[in-house]
């Protein structure tokens, strides 16, 4: 009987710790995404797999990550158009015809870069929100448990919902 009680207590103490997998999200200097699951580096697919128990958070994470990639691509494309416009203007010998082409390309590049930045920010917001929501739901789900509490003269089971 003592072994059974000991094993039950051991299981109740360590089961929330083993089931909980916190996810963190941060970006490095070059705006590359870095995810960690319980402090261990992971890629987006692993994070999406861990989030599979909460479908809405997983869906928001996957879509937000795609938005971040698309936004980054558009942002880089916009910068490329701006650089190309300046090079084209320099190759034309800084003439009036070259200036009009430069202005048109510059406006197009700035527009593409601005749209890309907005898409990336929206995706980043979705990823951060889904990671925070997942961590909250994981922490909250650990409170739905049965625990044994012991007082000096009493002991009993406590149900937390």
């Amino acid at each position: 009987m003592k072994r059974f009680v000991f094993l039950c207590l051991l299981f109740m103490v360590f089961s929330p710790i083993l089931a909980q997998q916190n996810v963190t999200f941060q970006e490095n200097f070059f705006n590359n995404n870095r995810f960690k699951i319980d402090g261990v580096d992971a890629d987006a697919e692993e994070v999406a797999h861990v989030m599979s128990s909460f479908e809405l958070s997983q869906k928001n994470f996957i879509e937000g990550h795609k938005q971040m990639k698309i936004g980054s691509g558009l942002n880089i494309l916009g910068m490329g158009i701006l650089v190309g416009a300046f090079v084209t203007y320099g190759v034309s010998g800084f003439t009036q015809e070259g200036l009009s082409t430069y202005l048109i390309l510059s406006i197009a590049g700035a527009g593409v870069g601005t749209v890309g930045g907005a898409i990336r920010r929206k995706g980043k917001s979705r990823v951060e929100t889904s990671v925070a929501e997942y961590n909250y739901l994981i922490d909250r789900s650990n409170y739905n448990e049965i625990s044994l509490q012991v007082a000096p003269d009493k002991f009993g089971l406590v149900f937390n919902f």
Side-chain angles (χ1 to χ4, degrees):
M1 182 68 180
K2 289 181 182 181
R3 275 190 228 166
F4 178 73
V5 172
F6 176 74
L7 289 175
C8 287
L9 288 173
L10 187 67
F11 177 73
M12 284 190 285
V13 168
F14 286 109
S15 63
I17 296 170
L18 296 174
Q20 183 177 359
Q21 291 185 337
N22 286 328
V23 176
T24 57
F25 165 72
Q26 51 182 253
E27 293 180 311
N28 64 9
F29 179 73
F30 300 106
N31 287 338
N32 294 328
N33 303 332
R34 296 192 59 200
F35 301 103
K36 292 186 178 186
I37 300 173
D38 290 333
V40 178
D41 287 334
D43 59 354
E45 291 80 21
E46 292 173 359
V47 174
H49 179 68
V50 168
M51 289 183 163
S52 63
S53 56
F54 302 104
E55 293 177 14
L56 186 59
S57 295
Q58 181 187 30
K59 180 183 171 203
N60 282 334
F61 175 79
I62 292 170
E63 290 176 1
H65 191 65
K66 285 180 187 176
Q67 281 181 330
M68 288 180 70
K69 286 183 176 181
I70 291 169
S72 294
L74 288 175
N75 208 355
I76 291 170
L77 178 66
M79 285 189 266
I81 292 172
L82 286 172
V83 169
F86 187 70
V87 168
T88 304
Y89 183 53
V91 168
S92 72
F94 301 104
T95 62
Q96 186 65 30
E97 295 168 354
L99 180 64
S100 62
T101 305
Y102 169 71
L103 290 176
I104 291 170
L105 288 176
S106 294
I107 291 170
V112 169
T114 302
V115 169
I119 291 173
R120 188 176 194 312
R121 281 189 300 276
K122 171 108 170 133
K124 181 180 177 184
S125 174
R126 287 181 80 175
V127 167
E128 288 175 339
T129 302
S130 65
V131 167
E133 181 179 271
Y134 169 77
N135 287 334
Y136 170 74
L137 291 172
I138 285 294
D139 289 342
R140 186 172 177 225
S141 68
N142 287 337
Y143 293 115
N144 298 335
E145 62 185 29
I146 300 172
S147 62
L148 179 68
Q149 292 190 354
V150 179
D153 293 331
K154 311 174 213 172
F155 71 94
L157 291 173
V158 177
F159 299 99
N160 292 323
F161 296 100

